């Protein structure tokens, strides 16, 4: 009799587990996840997988279908490294599974800081510095030549110092919207 009870309990547990796995996360559900490692537009590539964990339970009709801490997997869907003097880096990610269940979600995108302000300061500062030095050494004509030379030096400095990559730091928390279960 005892063996039979154990067999029945085992069957019920297996049935409940199968039903839980079969449940789908409905479209429109907001899922908040923590990214497990840093992703950067300098080194990531499209299709690269990343892992993380849920930061909040997912419930449907009052029933928990995924718990805080459950594993999530995602992929990099777009990456563009930063240019030297323009075009900051960009990176986009999506979730591809929650607790092993395939899902499709909205994407989260990040863009690196703009080059404009930094480049303007470097180029403008170089031009002004060159004009001052040129003016002291060679008068008006020297100021004009120094200004051009200084602007060139400022541009070279901006190019040498300059990428602005998009970074998603490890442990960052983002909210995705489920667009469908696969």
């Amino acid at each position: 009799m005892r063996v039979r009870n154990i067999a029945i309990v085992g069957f019920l547990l297996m049935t409940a587990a199968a039903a839980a796995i079969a449940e789908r996360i409905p479209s429109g559900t907001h899922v908040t996840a923590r990214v497990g490692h840093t992703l950067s537009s300098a080194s990531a590539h499209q299709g690269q997988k990343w892992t993380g964990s849920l930061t909040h339970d997912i419930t449907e009709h009052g029933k928990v279908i995924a718990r805080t801490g459950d594993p999530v997997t995602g992929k990099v869907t777009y990456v563009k490294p930063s240019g030297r003097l323009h075009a900051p880096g960009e990176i986009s990610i999506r979730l591809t599974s929650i607790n092993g269940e395939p899902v499709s979600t909205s994407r989260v995108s990040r863009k690196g800081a703009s080059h404009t302000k930094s480049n303007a300061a470097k180029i403008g500062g170089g031009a002004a510095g060159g004009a001052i030095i040129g003016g002291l050494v060679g008068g008006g004509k020297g100021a004009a030549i120094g200004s051009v030379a200084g602007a060139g030096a400022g541009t070279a400095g901006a190019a040498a110092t300059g990428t602005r990559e998009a970074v998603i730091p490890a442990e960052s928390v983002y909210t995705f919207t489920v667009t469908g279960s696969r």
Side-chain angles (χ1 to χ4, degrees), residues 21 24-25 95-104 178 180-182:
I21 291 170
R24 297 281 182 214
I25 299 171
L95 289 178
T96 57
S97 73
I98 299 170
N99 207 15
E101 181 181 325
V103 293
S104 179
V178 175
S181 296
R182 292 187 270 158

Side-chain angles (χ1 to χ4, degrees), residues 6-61:
I6 292 172
I8 291 172
V9 169
F11 175 76
L12 291 174
L13 287 173
M14 287 182 358
T15 303
I21 291 170
E23 283 186 308
R24 297 281 182 214
I25 299 171
S27 291
T29 301
H30 296 288
V31 177
T32 306
R34 183 177 317 276
V35 177
H37 56 277
T38 299
L39 298 166
S40 169
S41 61
S43 57
H45 58 276
Q46 192 168 342
Q48 176 180 334
K49 296 209 182 288
W50 59 271
T51 59
S53 60
L54 287 178
T55 60
H56 296 84
D57 288 351
I58 300 173
T59 59
E60 174 66 11
H61 302 297

Side-chain angles (χ1 to χ4, degrees), residues 72-171:
V72 299
T73 304
K75 71 177 179 178
V76 174
T77 57
Y78 177 77
V79 65
K80 184 184 89 169
S82 174
R84 285 269 174 210
L85 293 174
H86 67 292
E90 296 179 50
I91 189 167
S92 297
I93 60 174
R94 292 181 191 261
L95 289 178
T96 57
S97 73
I98 299 170
N99 207 15
E101 181 181 325
V103 293
S104 179
T105 68
S106 61
R107 70 181 181 175
V108 169
S109 299
R110 293 295 171 258
K111 190 173 189 175
S114 173
H115 290 273
T116 306
K117 211 184 226 183
S118 172
N119 288 351
K122 289 172 187 160
I123 295 167
I132 290 169
I133 293 169
L136 292 173
V137 173
K141 188 174 181 181
I145 293 169
S147 175
V148 171
T155 302
T161 58
T163 61
R164 302 286 178 123
E165 300 300 343
V167 177
I168 295 176
E171 302 300 314

